[in-house]
Amino acid sequence: MARPITDDDREQVRTLHAQGKSRNDIARTLNRSPSTVSKIAAAFDPPLSFDRAAEVAVATEVRRADLAARRAALALGLQDDAEQLRAQLFAPCTVGEFAGREGEWHTADLDRPRFGDQRQIIGAVQTAVSTSLRLAPAEGGEGAEQVRSMLGALGEALQQAAADDPDDGGADGGVSSARPRRPAPVP
């Protein structure tokens, strides 16, 4: 059988409610069920309310703004990543692979990445830029023009990389028909 509600219970509910305690906090303090605390609160004239909709709305808005700021920071970081990746397109690099009868590791220094590697770099740049734009879409104006300029430059770089295929002067759109070159062994 349920414990009867006492005047002391009523007074404690009023006091704790005035202190801003939630219904569940009051229930734990009094060792009562939340529904009992609700019954006690409803019996007062005027009834005590545990409606926290305004507090929840403010907290939700703060959380939404915080997440928007984090998305914007991540989008900015992805743009930086895209620029760093793009800089690798025509930068000197060292490539390595296993070759020879013994399967030894060989490296070679190149004046820029091979076409296949450049294509992978372009794909990574495209992924970084696209993801950045999904996180923080470009709003018209100067920022949008900068994004269009960057994407245009990326497209031109891809076309240039395809045209610079040393195997055939770009006649096949950058697709090499010859056997892939192996790097020279490094002593």
Side-chain angles (χ1 to χ4, degrees):
M1 178 172 194
R3 181 168 49 119
I5 298 172
T6 65
D7 288 338
D8 186 47
D9 292 333
R10 290 182 187 91
E11 189 55 39
Q12 285 187 27
V13 167
R14 182 190 309 269
T15 302
L16 294 171
H17 181 271
Q19 293 174 3
K21 302 288 184 183
S22 71
R23 181 190 66 164
N24 291 344
D25 287 340
I26 295 171
R28 279 189 288 277
T29 301
L30 299 179
N31 199 24
R32 294 289 203 154
S33 71
S35 63
T36 300
V37 172
S38 292
K39 285 179 194 175
I40 294 170
F44 284 106
D45 188 27
L48 303 178
S49 172
F50 294 103
D51 183 19
R52 297 179 51 210
E55 293 174 37
V56 170
V58 168
T60 301
E61 190 56 37
V62 167
R63 176 78 173 141
R64 185 177 293 127
D66 187 36
L67 289 174
R70 290 173 65 188
R71 279 192 309 273
L74 182 58
L76 186 59
L78 284 167
Q79 287 290 336
D80 290 342
D81 295 345
E83 290 170 4
Q84 289 177 12
L85 284 167
R86 187 183 179 288
Q88 294 178 22
L89 275 175
F90 300 102
C93 65
T94 301
V95 296
E97 59 187 35
F98 291 102
R101 225 181 318 181
E102 302 297 321
E104 298 162 340
W105 182 253
H106 297 277
T107 60
D109 293 324
L110 302 176
D111 60 343
R112 67 172 184 240
R114 294 179 280 194
F115 177 76
D117 295 331
Q118 286 178 318
R119 199 165 65 205
Q120 288 180 347
I121 291 169
I122 288 290
V125 168
Q126 181 181 12
T127 299
V129 170
S130 296
T131 303
S132 172
L133 290 173
R134 276 197 310 270
L135 289 170
E139 302 170 9
E142 187 177 319
E145 187 56 40
Q146 289 174 341
V147 170
R148 281 192 288 275
S149 175
M150 181 180 172
L151 292 175
L154 291 174
E156 288 173 16
L158 184 57
Q159 289 175 349
Q160 180 65 35
D164 286 347
D165 186 358
D167 291 333
D168 61 4
D172 62 358
V175 177
S176 176
S177 59
R179 267 184 37 196
R181 290 181 289 152
R182 293 191 178 209
V186 176

